[in-house]
């Protein structure tokens, strides 16, 4: 039987090479996903939140301590919509090399007695979470996780913590402060870098997606799964990403989607 080993080995090498060529071919072309979320209801000024602790310090930032659960721009742009690929085990060959240039840490600051930024995304294989206390009072930094270890750590003034997630999460994680009940933020931690959040104009973009058919998730802190269009059940949409720009256009979001959560 030994005389068959070279032939078998040769076949395996050819098969492995063919698989490598196939994966490389799949990743040879890339597309960009864009769109703009527009809230169709009236724009409201964010309500100020009650400052119930450390008034002498946090009271100086009462203009910042407002309800950020529904942020819209002057033209109705809906901010802080998470858009991300639902594929959790994306092969490395399908991740564009430009993503290797991403910063190694994602920093959340306790600054002005709120989280800055209010929402953030993190690629768990490449990035660590860094929480920093920039205030003159202590904060209790909490992250409620589902697949990973949850965080609950006291951060005295000027202190910071660094945390490495072990795996990606299916849903955004709530950040909070055990000392200041008004503090809230959201973190999406994924096994890949294909995510984005909409800005105050409602626009978002995810660059360098591998071409092919993929499923994306839409999520907003006040609505949960954001079914902005009738066929986007549970805020999921399947798209065939083509080379170049793939634009969803203007996505109108009705106020009724924010009343049930």
């Amino acid at each position: 039987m030994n005389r068959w080993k070279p032939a078998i080995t040769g076949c395996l090498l050819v098969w492995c090479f063919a698989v490598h060529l196939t994966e490389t071919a799949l990743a040879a072309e890339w597309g960009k996903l864009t769109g703009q979320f527009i809230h169709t209801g009236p724009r409201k000024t964010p309500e100020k939140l009650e400052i119930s602790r450390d008034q002498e310090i946090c009271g100086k930032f009462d203009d910042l301590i407002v309800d950020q659960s529904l942020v819209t721009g002057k033209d109705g742009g809906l901010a802080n919509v998470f858009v991300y690929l639902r594929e959790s085990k994306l092969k490395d060959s399908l991740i564009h090399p430009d993503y290797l240039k991403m910063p190694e840490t994602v920093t959340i600051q306790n600054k002005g007695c709120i989280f800055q930024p209010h929402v953030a995304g993190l690629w768990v294989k490449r990035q660590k979470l860094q929480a920093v206390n920039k205030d003159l009072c202590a904060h209790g930094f909490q992250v409620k996780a589902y697949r990973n270890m949850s965080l609950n750590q006291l951060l005295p003034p000027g202190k910071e913590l660094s945390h490495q997630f072990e795996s990606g999460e299916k849903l955004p994680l709530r950040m909070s402060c055990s000392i200041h009940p008004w503090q809230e933020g959201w973190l999406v931690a994924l096994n890949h870098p294909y995510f984005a959040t909409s800005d105050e104009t409602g626009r978002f973009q995810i660059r360098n997606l591998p071409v092919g058919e993929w499923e994306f998730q839409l999520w907003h802190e006040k609505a949960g799964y954001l079914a902005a269009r009738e066929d986007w059940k549970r805020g999921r949409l399947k798209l065939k990403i083509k080379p170049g720009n793939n634009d969803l256009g203007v996505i109108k979001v009705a106020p009724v989607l924010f009343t049930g959560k």
Side-chain angles (χ1 to χ4, degrees):
M1 295 295 292
N2 288 341
R3 60 193 179 91
W4 293 104
K5 286 187 177 180
I8 294 172
T9 302
C11 289
L12 287 173
L13 289 173
V14 170
W15 178 80
C16 290
F17 183 65
V19 170
H20 174 73
L21 285 179
T22 301
E23 291 186 354
T24 303
L26 284 172
E29 293 184 298
W30 310 89
K32 179 173 66 173
L33 179 62
T34 59
Q36 183 181 22
F37 296 97
I38 296 295
H39 183 250
T40 59
R43 187 185 183 215
K44 298 181 180 179
T45 301
E47 295 182 5
K48 290 190 175 184
L49 300 177
E50 181 185 0
I51 302 173
S52 55
R53 294 286 301 272
D54 295 315
Q55 176 69 42
E56 68 283 2
I57 296 172
C58 297
K60 298 176 182 179
F61 307 107
D62 63 340
D63 58 330
L64 297 177
I65 303 174
V66 298
D67 183 2
Q68 298 184 64
S69 65
L70 185 60
V71 177
T72 57
K74 63 178 182 178
D75 296 320
L78 178 62
N80 299 335
V81 178
F82 281 117
V83 185
Y84 54 95
L85 194 67
R86 293 196 73 244
E87 178 62 45
S88 61
K89 296 180 180 179
L90 200 66
K91 294 180 180 179
D92 289 343
S93 60
L94 296 181
I95 294 178
H96 195 279
D98 280 359
Y99 283 106
L100 300 179
K101 304 172 186 176
M102 293 175 71
E104 294 182 357
T105 60
V106 172
T107 300
I108 302 294
Q109 296 187 97
N110 288 276
K111 187 177 180 181
C113 295
I114 61 172
F115 292 121
Q116 298 191 37
H118 180 67
V119 298
L122 179 145
W123 180 15
V124 299
K125 291 183 179 180
R126 295 280 177 176
Q127 297 177 302
K128 289 184 178 181
L129 173 65
Q130 183 180 53
V132 182
N133 186 358
K134 294 287 188 178
D135 289 326
L136 296 177
C137 58
H139 288 288
F141 185 72
Q142 297 178 319
V143 177
K144 182 183 178 181
Y146 303 98
R147 293 181 169 179
N148 294 273
M149 179 183 70
S150 294
L151 297 176
N152 185 5
Q153 184 166 331
L154 181 68
L155 284 180
K159 298 299 182 179
E160 62 184 57
L161 71 84
S162 179
H163 178 72
Q164 178 71 62
F165 288 94
E166 296 296 325
S167 61
E169 298 275 356
K170 284 190 175 182
L171 289 173
L173 307 178
R174 182 177 182 265
M175 300 184 295
S176 61
C177 175
S178 58
I179 299 174
H180 307 104
W182 63 83
Q183 273 195 250
E184 186 175 46
W186 297 90
L187 176 73
V188 59
L190 299 172
N191 288 324
H192 59 75
Y194 293 116
F195 54 82
T197 56
S198 59
D199 60 22
E200 284 199 4
T201 70
R203 291 183 173 86
F204 77 91
Q205 63 174 353
I206 304 177
R207 296 180 179 272
N208 296 319
L209 283 158
V211 297
E213 292 190 6
W214 302 102
E215 187 174 44
F216 295 86
Q217 181 73 61
L218 307 181
W219 193 93
H220 184 274
E221 64 177 282
K222 195 170 179 64
Y225 296 123
L226 189 66
R229 293 177 179 169
E230 287 187 4
D231 57 331
W232 293 356
K233 303 299 182 183
R234 294 176 61 83
R236 298 174 187 177
L237 59 149
K238 292 184 178 181
L239 293 174
K240 185 174 183 179
I241 298 297
K242 300 176 181 179
N245 193 28
N246 300 261
D247 188 18
L248 294 174
V250 173
I251 306 161
K252 294 183 179 180
V253 184
V256 68
L257 295 179
F258 301 100
T259 60
K261 184 173 183 292

